[in-house]
Amino acid sequence: MSATPVIIPQANPGAGYRALQTEIDAAVARVLGSGWYVLGAEGRGFEAEFAGWLGRAHAVGCGNGTDALALALRALGIGAGCAVATVSHTAVATVAAIEMAGAVPVLIDIDPLHYTMDPAELEAVLARPPVGLPPVRAVIPVHLYGQAADLDAIGAICARHGVALIEDCSQAHGATLSARKLGTFGQIACFSLYPTKNLGALGDGGVIATDDAALAERLAALRQYGWRQHYVSDAVGVNSRLDEVQAAILRVRLPHLDAQNACRGAIAARYDAALAGGRFVPPARRAGAGHVFHQYVLRVADRAAVQAALRARGVGTGVHYPVPVHLQPAYCGRVALGPSACRATERAAAAVMSLPMYPELTESQVAAVCEAVLSV
Ligand SMILES: *Cc1c(COP(=O)(O)O)cnc(C)c1O
């Protein structure tokens, strides 16, 4: 039996390329003809333009969002003998990066309304760390689905305990809290530029932002064998560079990001209006937060049945994420958890469902998704 073809996919990076195809093709051709392919003018141009757009002094490109987090930790001197607090309801990448840096993760439960780090549990873990855990040196809140974590509370807790704040902004390019861009609150902010992110390359990419010139210099060295100058490794680095083709594509896309985020917001408002009063509850908005709807996420008790019903009507859905990190085979039973043992995380993982969300969704596609959801 063949499944009904999905007419409206949940994500559509190809549509994102086609929307800017002429400009992107020209940018790629420019790089291919230039004879310079890694760490050059396009990369420097993107770093300057991204830092300017974000409102931070420095941006350093790198290979992907996972490396961005691992490099940020290493640049801060956080590795073996340190613990780092983050959440289990995230891309596995966040936790993988902590172990790549040599540190030990401790996973904090989420506030079930906004799906982001529960500050009360963070405070409990910092005040009374789990037995045997090395000292917590950094906290990585994840601005999940395009909405800010509770940075006012988390920032105050980090300051009080003297631990670094590293923002995982991989789902929140352009999102705000109290009219201030996410990625400007912590010592360092890390962004994935994977094709499906709000700002995406057409391959892998990442970028790290900071106001600290010395940190930026360390990051630039660590991403390339620890070189401060060619062929001189002052530190033990890695190879995690943003290539020129991706940088040129990102320079085409960055000026469109704010308008595309506004499109996502308009689609979310359409979904909200269609769902109002029905069996599905629209996603909660944090007071003061500018949400950029990387994902539009509903909570559904009978998820598999709802996904199948939507699929039968040609509507693709996703689950971000079906298995929390602490229950993944590679992590299960060996990662430290906060006192609530990630119970809210496990409940969310069992029920979350993402509707189609990308700026290229047409009016009629949005209407079709709304109609399909209401018919379930
Ligand atoms: C995508 C993502 C990452 C990892 O980015 P890659 O570029 O795939 O390495 C990290 N954290 C979050 C929250 C993400 O969504």
Side-chain angles (χ1 to χ4, degrees), residues 235-285:
V236 176
V238 297
N239 174 6
S240 182
R241 298 175 294 219
L242 180 64
D243 73 68
E244 291 285 277
V245 168
Q246 299 309 331
I249 292 167
L250 290 160
R251 295 179 79 187
V252 171
R253 289 189 138 175
L254 181 60
H256 298 279
L257 175 59
D258 293 334
Q260 291 186 334
N261 280 340
C263 283
R264 289 173 182 268
I267 294 163
R270 292 274 307 275
Y271 286 163
D272 282 353
L275 295 172
R279 65 173 280 209
F280 300 113
V281 181
R285 313 296 206 272

Side-chain angles (χ1 to χ4, degrees), residues 181-215:
K181 276 209 179 88
L182 302 188
T184 64
F185 289 78
Q187 273 97 326
I188 305 190
C190 299
F191 297 78
S192 168
L193 304 168
Y194 185 76
T196 57
K197 309 292 183 178
N198 289 40
L199 177 64
L202 297 175
D204 276 311
V207 63
I208 312 160
T210 181
D211 287 332
D212 182 327
L215 261 182

Side-chain angles (χ1 to χ4, degrees), residues 11-22:
N12 196 348
Y17 163 58
R18 284 187 296 277
L20 297 170
Q21 184 168 357
T22 308

Side-chain angles (χ1 to χ4, degrees), residues 26 61 234:
D234 296 309

